[in-house]
Amino acid sequence: MEVKCSEILADPNFNSRGVISPLDVIDLAKNIEELGLLTPVWVRPIVNSDYKYSLVAGFRRFTAISKVLKQETILIDIKHVDEKTARLLNFVENLQRTDLNILQEAKAIEHLVEVGYTRAEIAREVQKTVPWVEARWALLKLPEEIQKEAAAGFLTQDHIKSLAKMRSREQQFEWTRVIKDKKLKGERSVPIPKRQNIFSKKVRGRHEVNFMREHIYDTLGPSFTTRVCAWVAGEISDFDLYQDLKIEAEKIGKQYTIPTEVREALPDDDDF
């Protein structure tokens, strides 16, 4: 049946995709103007409201017709469902029609949990695996800045699960930066961070050295220790470190002599 667009509440907080901008549906509006609305939007009746219906699915079509084409009426299909089922229908419809980013999927899962679905039930209803749902649930536990990087496509599902297991926010941000930098450089092999074993003894990667250097710097300020970390990470040269070592030795009244093999590599006029 046809009803007035003004009788329908299109709540962006209900929609899995969030706010739909008219600019995003201009092409869709042109298709509807040419061919007509081939699939009605789904609504459900509501009471105690200025509106007669609440939009369940079809937010892009509704925006194209009401905001872009400025049509007064729209074709609807009435669904007599409760809030819980309505949210599920909205999520499934969005998953099937147009790809959501991973943060939009996570927010939709959060809404479904709020109305009573378990994560296992969500996986079954949307025909996804439980790990697929759990990864998106884990994303909601990460800092907002990292959630935005995931929405932009820099983090995979496996990245998110690994980041969520890290206890340190600093480590989460450091790994996110490493992953993003590698993707921006076009590197195909982007590392999957693993949960840190603080009792293991091993050769450290550059990102681990830089993380520790920044942590020491933030805690104690600049020091010879941070310079050693910079040398290990390849940020300063051997010569730079030997100079720093000489300065540190002189501070405690010790005479410092540069190793013979290093002195042989110096220019003849260097008075190190």
Side-chain angles (χ1 to χ4, degrees), residues 11-21 59 90 94 100 104:
D11 183 4
N13 294 321
F14 174 88
N15 188 30
S16 300
R17 198 175 299 280
V19 176
I20 303 295
S21 168
F59 278 74
N90 176 270
N94 273 296
L100 300 169
Q104 289 173 325

Side-chain angles (χ1 to χ4, degrees), residues 116-179:
Y117 283 98
T118 66
R119 299 198 286 276
E121 288 173 338
I122 294 171
R124 182 176 65 252
E125 294 291 346
V126 302
Q127 297 182 350
K128 298 290 185 179
T129 65
V130 171
W132 184 92
V133 174
E134 293 293 349
R136 282 143 186 83
W137 185 253
L139 177 59
L140 298 174
K141 310 302 179 184
L142 294 175
E144 184 177 347
E145 296 87 345
I146 296 179
Q147 292 180 18
K148 291 179 180 178
E149 299 293 11
F154 290 111
L155 302 177
T156 66
Q157 179 173 304
D158 288 334
H159 287 144
I160 291 167
K161 289 191 291 187
S162 295
L163 289 171
K165 293 177 182 178
M166 296 178 181
R167 297 178 181 176
S168 164
R169 282 285 188 262
E170 290 82 2
Q171 190 180 17
Q172 290 173 341
F173 281 118
E174 171 65 14
W175 263 106
T176 300
R177 184 189 63 78
V178 169
I179 295 167

